[in-house]
Amino acid sequence: MSEEADIFDKVFLVVEDEYLVAADILDVLGRAGADVIGPVSSLEGALKLVDEAEQIDAAVLDIHLRGAEVYPVADALSLRNVPFAFLTAYDRGDLPERFREAPFLQKPVDPDELLQLLSRL
């Protein structure tokens, strides 16, 4: 089964504050037939979407958002049992201990790698 089939009609939350990166993620997900909530570029906006969205199948989280860290969003998603992946320019070792085993991709991200990771979530 292809990665596109695995994410077709799934709902993904995209939390990313870099416009071009967010646009690339939206393009990749859109071509694969996924639905997207966002992108949202602030911690407050992301927390609001997690709280209000009826359905989130998985999320892509940039770690640093305009001076804030995304970890409260990851915690909120975990409480809802929503899988997520971090997408960042930082190293895995920079993550808090509780997230060191979370799915993780470093920027810049290859579209095929992103689809493969998201299809496993």
Side-chain angles (χ1 to χ4, degrees):
M1 180 179 276
S2 73
E3 288 83 15
E4 288 85 358
D6 290 341
I7 69 169
F8 184 80
D9 274 347
K10 301 287 186 193
V11 178
F12 288 88
L13 171 63
V14 175
V15 180
E16 173 60 62
D17 65 350
E18 294 181 45
Y19 175 80
L20 293 176
V21 174
D24 287 344
I25 294 170
L26 293 178
D27 182 58
V28 169
L29 293 175
R31 284 187 284 123
D35 294 317
V36 176
I37 299 172
V40 62
S41 60
S42 70
L43 179 61
E44 297 79 15
L47 287 169
K48 183 176 180 180
L49 285 177
V50 170
D51 185 51
E52 295 176 354
E54 289 183 30
Q55 178 182 351
I56 302 173
D57 294 309
V60 177
L61 307 176
D62 182 15
I63 291 178
H64 294 282
L65 303 170
R66 299 181 181 175
E69 292 183 328
V70 78
Y71 304 123
V73 177
D75 289 328
L77 290 166
S78 294
L79 288 173
R80 286 187 61 175
N81 294 314
V82 174
F84 58 86
F86 291 114
L87 180 64
T88 184
Y90 294 87
D91 293 323
R92 181 179 291 281
D94 294 329
L95 295 172
E97 186 66 36
R98 71 186 186 277
F99 295 124
R100 292 255 169 91
E101 300 302 317
F104 177 93
L105 284 177
Q106 281 191 300
K107 295 178 187 177
V109 174
D110 176 85
D112 291 330
E113 283 184 81
L114 179 61
L115 285 176
Q116 289 172 12
L117 175 67
L118 295 179
S119 71
R120 293 190 305 262
L121 289 182

